[in-house]
Amino acid sequence: MKADLKKNPPEFKPTGPNLTLDPPPAAGPFFSRIDWSAFWVATLVSLVVYIISLAPSVTLEDSGELAVAGDYLGVPHPPGYPSWTMIVWVFTEIFGFVRFRGQPNPAWSVALASAVFG
């Protein structure tokens, strides 16, 4: 009996809902043109709203401390936010020309960096 099975093994017949063993059809790109359009529209609308509503100078809580730390590449209160501080410092260097009531205003550059990355 065992010798018979070795010479003529039974055929495999798939059962269940997937009766074929063909590979699935090739898929197109994951994101379509409408997906990218929706992404860019949402991104630009959000950025415009953030920029329009930026505070012109420092506000309450930690904003002054963080603006000074970003402007001078300092260390704000622990944990220090090192990556954020370096990114904000770049923004304060690029947008150093911004003035508020005639005075340099690094707080606006810090808020702009937060808006861009928000």
Side-chain angles (χ1 to χ4, degrees):
M1 177 86 172
K2 286 185 181 181
D4 249 359
L5 287 176
K6 285 184 182 177
K7 289 180 186 175
N8 300 320
E11 284 187 36
F12 174 73
K13 294 183 181 177
T15 59
N18 187 10
L19 297 177
T20 63
L21 297 176
D22 297 332
F30 190 73
F31 293 116
S32 66
R33 176 168 274 166
I34 190 77
D35 295 329
W36 283 109
S37 299
F39 165 77
W40 283 112
V41 167
T43 299
L44 292 176
V45 167
S46 300
L47 184 60
V48 166
V49 169
Y50 271 130
I51 290 174
I52 289 172
S53 63
L54 283 179
S57 186
V58 294
T59 59
L60 301 174
E61 298 284 329
D62 293 333
S63 110
E65 174 191 6
L66 294 171
V68 170
D71 190 31
Y72 290 100
L73 205 57
V75 179
H77 62 275
Y81 317 111
S83 300
W84 179 87
T85 304
M86 288 185 281
I87 291 169
V88 165
W89 179 79
V90 169
F91 269 75
T92 58
E93 291 297 309
I94 293 171
F95 296 100
F97 63 89
V98 175
R99 305 265 183 229
F100 180 68
R101 297 186 181 166
Q103 300 298 320
N105 188 13
W108 188 85
S109 303
V110 171
L112 180 65
S114 296
V116 167
F117 290 103

